[in-house]
Amino acid sequence: MQIEQHKVVTLNYTLKDDEGNVIDQSQDGSFAYLHGMNNIVPGLEKALSGMAAGQTRAVSVPPEEGYGARDDSRVQAVPRDMFPADSRIEPGMQFHAESSEGQSLVVTVVGSDSDTVTVDGNHPLSGMQLHFDVKVVDVRDATREEIDHGHVHGPEGHHHD
Ligand code: ZN
């Protein structure tokens, strides 16, 4: 069975940066996604199309087919008093925030002083070339319910809100 629209794909993958540092990996068959529904970055989804269980591939994905280009306008200084008064704010900490368009996003603290905290709303992997080593572990038909929901359900069925 080949990977195409509405297949559930189980993958082992390793994601590395340009220097070969491992950023993320899943090697135990625990990662599965519904193909063709934008559940993974577009460049990887495109490369996986047509592959079958047991096949491996090295895929390099440019930022525009990955997590997008970096946008410096998403780096903003916000008032310190938007954070709990007793909290220590340190670079690298991440918070959930809401964009001006009302979308929820994760921001990363990049600096702070007594009055302001500088946060970066770019995805941590934006602007990066992504190097995936993938092995297709399993390909199966999605259930009607999975297709309706646009995502994979676990072996024990429906388990989300
Ligand atoms: Zn669901």
Side-chain angles (χ1 to χ4, degrees):
M1 185 180 283
Q2 290 190 326
I3 297 175
E4 58 185 0
Q5 181 86 3
H6 293 167
K7 300 298 184 194
V8 170
V9 182
T10 304
L11 276 188
N12 286 347
Y13 68 88
T14 303
L15 170 58
K16 294 177 183 165
D17 64 16
D18 279 335
E19 283 75 48
N21 301 305
V22 174
I23 299 166
D24 188 20
Q25 61 182 334
S26 174
Q27 296 297 348
D28 52 3
S30 64
F31 177 78
Y33 77 97
L34 178 57
H35 192 80
M37 306 293 278
N38 296 315
N39 288 317
I40 61 173
V41 295
L44 181 59
E45 188 160 62
K46 203 186 298 179
L48 286 164
S49 286
M51 290 181 69
Q55 291 188 315
T56 60
R57 185 169 287 179
V59 183
S60 285
V61 176
E64 54 274 19
E65 294 193 318
Y67 291 97
R70 270 192 67 79
D71 178 356
D72 288 336
S73 73
R74 294 189 189 163
V75 179
Q76 290 182 311
V78 297
R80 176 70 177 77
D81 59 18
M82 285 180 66
F83 296 86
D86 57 351
S87 62
R88 271 179 76 89
I89 304 294
E90 292 176 335
M93 292 175 76
Q94 294 190 316
F95 294 90
H96 288 274
E98 203 166 90
S99 74
S100 47
E101 295 88 41
Q103 290 175 307
S104 78
L105 74 161
V106 174
V107 300
T108 305
V109 173
V110 293
S112 66
D113 61 26
S114 52
D115 297 325
T116 61
V117 176
T118 305
V119 296
D120 184 349
N122 286 288
H123 190 284
L125 300 182
S126 67
M128 284 180 57
Q129 185 89 17
L130 307 172
H131 303 277
F132 291 95
D133 286 309
V134 297
K135 178 176 184 181
V136 179
V137 176
D138 185 57
V139 183
R140 67 166 169 85
D141 289 319
T143 65
R144 186 76 247 163
E145 190 182 51
E146 286 173 324
I147 293 168
D148 286 347
H149 288 205
H151 55 230
V152 172
H153 292 159
E156 60 290 340
H158 200 255
H159 58 92
H160 64 85
D161 44 49

